[in-house]
Amino acid sequence: MIPKISVIVPVYKVEQYLSKCIESILAQTFTDFELLLIDDGSPDNSGAICDKFAKKDSRIRVFHKKNEGVSSARNLGLDEANGIWITFVDSDDWIEERYLGDLFAGIKNEGLGLVFQGHAKVNNIGVVLRELNFSSYYITQEYFNLLFTTYNIYTYGAPWSKLYNLKLIHDKSLIFDTRINRGEDLLFMFQYLRFCDWVNVVDGFNYMYNIEVSGSLTKKLNSYESERYTFIQLCNIVKELSSIYHIENGNLNGWFLFVRTLIFFAINSIYNSKYDKRTRIKLLEEIMDREAISYMKLLSADDTYISFKIMRLLLVYKFFNLYDIYRSTFIICRRYIKCKTVS
């Protein structure tokens, strides 16, 4: 029997939270699913916990692999899944009992598409800190421009709380890009949207996103090369989608704000590494090409803090030496204040 849904859970160093995650999946009111637990070379007891649950429930399959990151783990899940639809759950989170049922109810009979729902941000003991509950809407391909201009879909790129069609993924050879450590899920969703017939957003939220966990698959410091590659890939796919769905730049202000954040992620990674000044200047020149500068100029009126405005202007007008002095001084002052506070 082919299950209607495959649930893919990448697992790494989450022995404290894993049982709660698995139990919440097994407690679903919708029961026609398989659960794939992908142990990504976890050095703790997470792999053993996966095996223990697999012995108790025939719907569970466990895969042990060497540690290669969350994208590699999810890709293995996509390769091994047998379901018609797939969804993801992070192993340090948990879901309410209607998670699968509500998502499955959002599937439309015509064509292939994407279903997604809101989520709640919670702490370790389950206290809800913030709820994200979308108003229901259904959009066919001819109106996909609204996903960017009205619904800001790029701010909800996480793979969970979504239902993807596995045949579409396999037919189009879609995978999570293992060269990206931040934004790989958003890039995957954008690539999937190129081939969708519809997007259906269902009311409510059943996913509990634990914001307090550290050391899991999704938490790591990224290199400059990874951040710059992410920026390039995401910009390229949005250009492609803008062309396909006839989205004018004037209607993408929210996306440009997001892109500016990507640029600063790349710049931050320069100053989180032990580069000398000459190398830092060279990398600033590389990231601040004509396209990046145009994004910065488009958003000149959106500076919240004076320090941010100063940094943006120094970058836009290519005063990279001054920027480096400003940024380096800022870092030194911050470290000094931190040390004084601790002492």
Side-chain angles (χ1 to χ4, degrees), residues 335-343:
R335 288 174 180 169
Y336 174 78
I337 294 171
K338 184 177 181 180
C339 288
K340 293 293 287 184
T341 302
V342 172
S343 61

Side-chain angles (χ1 to χ4, degrees), residues 16 72 95 123 176 257 262 271:
Q16 181 179 351
S72 176
I95 55 178
N123 61 18
F176 289 87
L257 278 170
L262 296 177
Y271 289 89

Side-chain angles (χ1 to χ4, degrees), residues 17 27 118 124 135 165 175:
Y17 309 98
N124 281 335
S135 298
N165 183 270
I175 60 171

Side-chain angles (χ1 to χ4, degrees), residues 158-341:
W160 32 260
S161 278
K162 294 181 177 68
L163 206 57
Y164 293 94
N165 183 270
L166 187 60
K167 183 178 186 302
L168 188 155
I169 290 171
H170 286 169
D171 286 350
K172 303 302 179 182
S173 302
L174 302 182
I175 60 171
F176 289 87
D177 194 328
T178 56
R179 292 166 291 183
I180 296 179
N181 295 320
R182 187 207 314 273
E184 74 287 341
D185 40 16
L186 180 61
L187 180 62
F188 180 84
M189 182 180 71
F190 282 166
Q191 292 170 335
Y192 184 90
L193 282 173
R194 290 167 53 197
F195 309 106
C196 279
D197 299 304
W198 48 263
V199 171
N200 192 27
V201 178
V202 295
D203 186 37
F205 58 90
N206 293 301
Y207 192 94
M208 303 293 116
Y209 171 53
N210 189 348
I211 66 172
E212 293 188 353
V213 180
S214 61
S216 70
L217 274 164
T218 55
K219 317 290 192 301
K220 63 166 61 178
L221 188 64
N222 302 317
S223 67
Y224 164 76
E225 290 77 14
S226 175
E227 295 287 11
R228 182 169 183 269
Y229 177 79
T230 301
F231 163 70
I232 292 172
Q233 295 303 310
L234 285 172
C235 286
N236 286 344
I237 188 65
V238 170
K239 286 178 188 174
E240 184 175 350
L241 291 173
S242 297
S243 175
I244 294 172
Y245 302 126
H246 310 292
I247 309 171
E248 300 294 333
N249 276 354
N251 295 321
L252 283 173
N253 196 57
W255 167 249
F256 292 145
L257 278 170
F258 186 83
V259 168
R260 187 170 70 174
T261 302
L262 296 177
I263 294 171
F264 274 103
F265 277 146
I267 292 173
N268 289 344
S269 67
I270 296 173
Y271 289 89
N272 286 331
S273 303
K274 296 182 179 180
Y275 294 121
D276 58 30
K277 181 174 181 178
R278 177 179 295 180
T279 303
R280 292 197 301 267
I281 299 299
K282 180 180 178 182
L283 295 179
L284 286 173
E285 292 173 346
E286 182 178 65
I287 191 67
M288 291 307 300
D289 57 14
R290 181 181 300 177
E291 186 171 32
I293 289 174
S294 69
Y295 289 139
M296 291 288 198
K297 286 182 176 179
L298 281 168
L299 300 166
S300 59
D302 293 305
D303 294 323
T304 305
Y305 304 104
I306 185 65
S307 60
F308 192 88
K309 183 173 184 177
I310 292 171
M311 287 191 290
R312 185 186 61 78
L313 290 174
L314 291 174
L315 292 170
V316 165
Y317 292 103
K318 298 186 177 182
F319 295 139
F320 298 133
N321 278 290
L322 286 175
Y323 178 88
D324 186 74
I325 294 171
Y326 182 89
R327 185 65 183 269
S328 299
T329 304
F330 178 80
I331 291 172
I332 292 171
C333 291
R334 186 173 60 182
R335 288 174 180 169
Y336 174 78
I337 294 171
K338 184 177 181 180
C339 288
K340 293 293 287 184
T341 302

Side-chain angles (χ1 to χ4, degrees), residues 53-170:
F53 275 97
K55 292 177 181 178
K56 297 178 180 180
D57 197 308
S58 61
R59 293 174 297 179
I60 299 176
R61 291 191 287 147
V62 179
F63 300 87
H64 301 282
K65 62 185 291 297
K66 67 178 182 179
N67 178 242
E68 295 174 302
V70 63
S71 290
S72 176
R74 287 176 180 148
N75 287 338
L76 177 58
L78 292 176
D79 287 340
E80 298 292 343
N82 294 320
I84 301 171
W85 296 84
I86 62 106
T87 189
F88 299 92
V89 176
D90 282 354
S91 51
D92 44 27
D93 301 331
W94 65 93
I95 55 178
E96 298 293 286
E97 63 179 8
R98 292 191 56 82
Y99 176 75
L100 295 180
D102 284 358
L103 287 175
F104 191 78
I107 297 172
K108 299 298 180 180
N109 292 326
E110 64 276 10
L112 299 175
L114 172 69
V115 183
F116 73 92
Q117 191 182 45
H119 65 271
K121 292 183 178 181
V122 299
N123 61 18
N124 281 335
I125 60 175
V127 176
V128 175
L129 306 176
R130 183 189 172 195
E131 299 174 0
L132 178 63
N133 188 6
F134 299 106
S135 298
S136 299
Y137 63 85
Y138 171 73
I139 293 180
T140 54
Q141 192 180 86
E142 60 185 315
Y143 299 110
F144 273 11
N145 62 306
L146 296 177
L147 295 173
F148 292 86
T149 61
T150 302
Y151 297 111
N152 297 333
I153 194 172
Y154 45 82
T155 60
Y156 310 113
W160 32 260
S161 278
K162 294 181 177 68
L163 206 57
Y164 293 94
N165 183 270
L166 187 60
K167 183 178 186 302
L168 188 155
I169 290 171
H170 286 169

